[in-house]
Amino acid sequence: MAKSEPRKLVCNNKKAYHDYFVEEKFEAGLSLHGTEVKSLRLGKCSIKESFIRIDNGEVYAYGMHISPYEMGNIFNKDPLRPKKLLLHKSEIMKLLGKITEKGYTLVPLEVYFKEGKAKLEFGLCKGKKLYDKREDMAKKDAKREIEREFKARNY
């Protein structure tokens, strides 16, 4: 059994967990150019405003910003160009069937390196209503308050 290298997190999308219920998570490879990979290794990436769409049987991430590599000069690509995600055809068909249902969307959650390869974790998500967000915030505040009290009593 080979020892697996831990994944190196580049960026994550905390807002996605606030705005959506994440039903299922998927991992996909990213098709990138050389200078984009170098920029990712430096941690210069943002997926806050990005989304995923399926076009002609291929999956693309739109709005994913990878800053231009400083030493890349003419080889740098457009920072906001659509990035192709590498998935098996059966996974794409499964996702296509799920997102045709009402209310489902694909939202990027994390970008990381796994065994030297750039990966994107995305979720099959359903949008939250305002009252759902308030309920989650109330639960989080209650949990924080309980932990604070517990910590104060154990001192």
Side-chain angles (χ1 to χ4, degrees), residues 135-149:
E135 189 177 301
D136 282 351
M137 286 172 39
K139 285 180 185 175
K140 195 180 288 185
D141 287 343
K143 184 178 178 184
R144 190 178 308 124
E145 198 62 39
I146 290 169
E147 286 176 1
R148 190 177 297 141
E149 287 294 322

Side-chain angles (χ1 to χ4, degrees), residues 21-34:
F21 292 114
V22 179
E23 306 271 325
E24 196 173 345
K25 291 182 182 180
F26 296 91
E27 179 182 73
L30 280 166
S31 178
L32 300 172
H33 293 278

Side-chain angles (χ1 to χ4, degrees), residues 25-108:
K25 291 182 182 180
F26 296 91
E27 179 182 73
L30 280 166
S31 178
L32 300 172
H33 293 278
T35 55
E36 290 177 321
V37 176
K38 290 180 179 185
S39 189
L40 264 186
R41 289 197 188 279
L42 294 174
K44 297 187 175 183
C45 175
S46 174
I47 57 173
K48 286 183 182 172
E49 300 88 29
S50 61
F51 60 96
I52 295 174
R53 187 177 289 159
I54 300 175
D55 296 328
N56 298 327
E58 294 182 338
V59 184
Y60 291 95
Y62 293 92
M64 181 177 165
H65 187 277
I66 298 178
S67 297
Y69 183 59
E70 285 138 19
M71 307 294 203
N73 57 40
I74 62 168
F75 299 107
N76 283 329
K77 300 291 179 191
D78 178 31
L80 289 173
R81 74 175 185 86
K83 279 68 167 183
K84 186 175 179 182
L85 302 182
L86 306 173
L87 290 164
H88 292 285
K89 196 59 124 178
S90 59
E91 291 177 312
I92 295 172
M93 290 300 133
K94 179 182 175 184
L95 288 172
L96 195 57
K98 292 273 190 171
I99 62 172
T100 54
E101 294 178 30
K102 188 180 177 201
Y104 281 106
T105 186
L106 300 174
V107 179

Side-chain angles (χ1 to χ4, degrees), residues 101-123:
E101 294 178 30
K102 188 180 177 201
Y104 281 106
T105 186
L106 300 174
V107 179
L109 301 173
E110 290 182 347
V111 176
Y112 55 90
F113 282 97
K114 182 178 175 184
E115 297 175 8
K117 294 176 176 60
K119 303 281 186 179
L120 177 106
E121 184 178 80
F122 62 95

